[in-house]
Amino acid sequence: MEFNNSSVDNVRSQMRKGVLEYCILSILNKKDAYASSIISELKDANMIVVEGTLYPLLIRQKNQGLLTYRWEESTQGPPRKYYAITEKGRGQLTEMDIAWKEVVDTVELIKK
Amino acid sequence: MKTVVNVGIGGRSFIIDEDAYLKLDAYLNKFRAKTDMGYHTNEVMDDLEMRIAELFQQDLGSKSEVVNLSLVNKVIAQLGMPDGSADDGSFGNTNRTTYSSESGRVRKRFYRDSDNTIIGGVCSGLAAYLNLDIVLIRVLFVICFFCGSVGFWAYIIFWIVAPKAETAAQKCEMHGLPVTAENMSKFSHNK
């Protein structure tokens, strides 16, 4: 049924939205990255469909002090923003790891 | 032959077709309106513009070609909106279902026509809104001016209440045309 499909899609996109910030911090925890490589990693993992979602999130997380950026010169064109996670961001990531485990465990427990 | 515009996007300059420029401009305005993060919005827009410049550069390579409408459409489809929705090509219409469900019917709005003004553009705006001859409206208003103060006050109130159609998108709405790059270009020519 059409209606069911769209409501499943809606739930799925809500779930992804909920963990998107968690994913951004996880990616930057591995290594520093340009916005474009964060985008391509999220796209490969089917986390985002359009790129526009990401830019407001990055600025918001930067303002919260979770991540920072520096300007890196590039061989062609103007310098680009190179994002990195901060200590505060690492702290939040650890808490998010715990929260994520809790959610997954709870859902598994209920389904049993 | 086509008119081209020279624009600076994300610190780089591009030559872009006029229809493509209008489409991109409408997209950026809509993205800005949807971002709604106060004074941080500019920072988001800077990042977005830098990404657009990057994508244009990737597509054009080192060739000094013109950015056309199909490239702009491709980039807009890739970027989408901050809430994760796709851009539907209309301006200021956040609800895409109402747009399509009305089967092409476009919302018409009452603006003052800044291109055809004698006093404040009220009559020409009214003529566009009601699809009537502008001369007829003007004659009616002039008659009302002489028959008591009703016409005068009606004009003043319209003048205050109705916004002026300044952008090409508003002019499309005033004439009840869908806000597409093609329609918008009609109005940007006679500026």
Side-chain angles (χ1 to χ4, degrees):
Chain A
M1 270 203 307
E2 177 94 2
F3 180 76
N4 266 340
N5 270 338
S6 73
S7 68
V8 168
D9 280 349
N10 191 26
V11 169
R12 190 182 287 149
S13 86
Q14 291 295 330
M15 281 180 178
R16 280 179 186 155
K17 238 174 239 171
V19 292
L20 194 50
E21 299 191 26
Y22 178 38
C23 288
I24 294 171
L25 290 181
S26 302
I27 289 170
L28 288 175
N29 195 38
K30 288 186 283 183
K31 64 178 182 17
D32 300 354
Y34 292 115
S36 54
S37 38
I38 302 174
I39 286 167
S40 63
E41 189 157 343
L42 290 172
K43 269 193 174 168
D44 290 345
N46 280 327
M47 268 300 295
I48 53 170
V49 185
V50 293
E51 299 181 7
T53 337
L54 198 76
Y55 295 99
L57 269 184
L58 283 175
I59 300 293
R60 200 169 298 144
Q61 288 188 309
K62 188 214 75 182
N63 292 337
Q64 289 167 353
L66 303 177
L67 44 89
T68 174
Y69 65 81
R70 59 179 186 274
W71 293 96
E72 287 271 313
E73 297 287 340
S74 68
T75 47
Q76 47 176 340
R80 295 194 293 163
K81 280 180 180 175
Y82 202 54
Y83 285 92
I85 193 167
T86 60
E87 270 316 304
K88 193 178 169 193
R90 284 217 171 76
Q92 182 154 84
L93 183 60
T94 318
E95 282 174 39
M96 282 174 164
D97 276 331
I98 296 165
W100 174 248
K101 274 209 182 67
E102 277 174 8
V103 171
V104 173
D105 290 348
T106 312
V107 172
E108 288 303 321
L109 197 71
I110 288 168
K111 278 163 76 178
K112 257 177 210 165
Chain B
M1 204 173 69
K2 265 183 163 178
T3 318
V4 292
V5 191
N6 216 329
V7 289
I9 305 170
R12 291 181 230 197
S13 77
F14 293 93
I15 300 169
I16 179 168
D17 279 337
E18 198 180 26
D19 52 354
Y21 166 74
L22 288 168
K23 175 91 194 230
L24 188 64
D25 191 47
Y27 166 74
L28 287 174
N29 283 330
K30 198 172 153 193
F31 195 97
R32 179 182 287 276
K34 279 202 175 187
T35 301
D36 194 27
M37 279 170 64
Y39 62 95
H40 293 303
T41 306
N42 282 339
E43 219 175 334
V44 176
M45 296 309 291
D46 284 348
D47 279 12
L48 184 75
E49 281 197 19
M50 279 190 355
R51 179 63 175 161
I52 291 171
E54 213 172 84
L55 293 172
F56 281 173
Q57 196 79 53
Q58 264 173 29
D59 196 277
L60 297 176
S62 54
K63 298 169 286 180
S64 54
E65 275 182 20
V66 175
V67 177
N68 56 24
L69 190 58
S70 78
L71 176 54
V72 166
N73 282 333
K74 199 178 93 183
V75 167
I76 289 176
Q78 188 176 341
L79 294 173
M81 282 291 140
D83 57 3
S85 64
D87 180 47
D88 52 10
S90 69
F91 180 83
N93 191 347
T94 48
N95 198 340
R96 47 190 314 212
T97 47
T98 55
Y99 190 74
S100 53
S101 66
E102 283 178 357
S103 64
R105 250 191 65 212
V106 185
R107 192 172 51 131
K108 205 170 179 180
R109 296 191 59 186
F110 181 35
Y111 284 105
R112 285 183 291 121
D113 188 351
S114 56
D115 293 331
N116 290 306
T117 62
I118 288 185
I119 307 173
V122 170
C123 289
S124 44
L126 207 57
Y129 187 73
L130 299 172
N131 248 338
L132 289 169
D133 193 338
I134 185 167
V135 178
L136 181 73
I137 303 271
R138 281 188 176 136
V139 167
L140 280 175
F141 260 97
V142 169
I143 292 171
C144 289
F145 276 141
F146 290 109
C147 305
S149 58
V150 182
F152 174 75
W153 287 114
Y155 194 94
I156 297 292
I157 289 167
F158 274 135
W159 198 348
I160 296 168
V161 170
K164 194 164 136 196
E166 278 170 310
T167 66
Q170 288 171 334
K171 284 171 193 170
C172 287
E173 284 186 335
M174 182 177 76
H175 291 278
L177 296 167
V179 186
T180 58
E182 200 189 346
N183 284 331
M184 283 164 77
S185 64
K186 287 180 199 164
F187 298 106
S188 56
H189 284 307
N190 51 26
K191 251 179 203 167

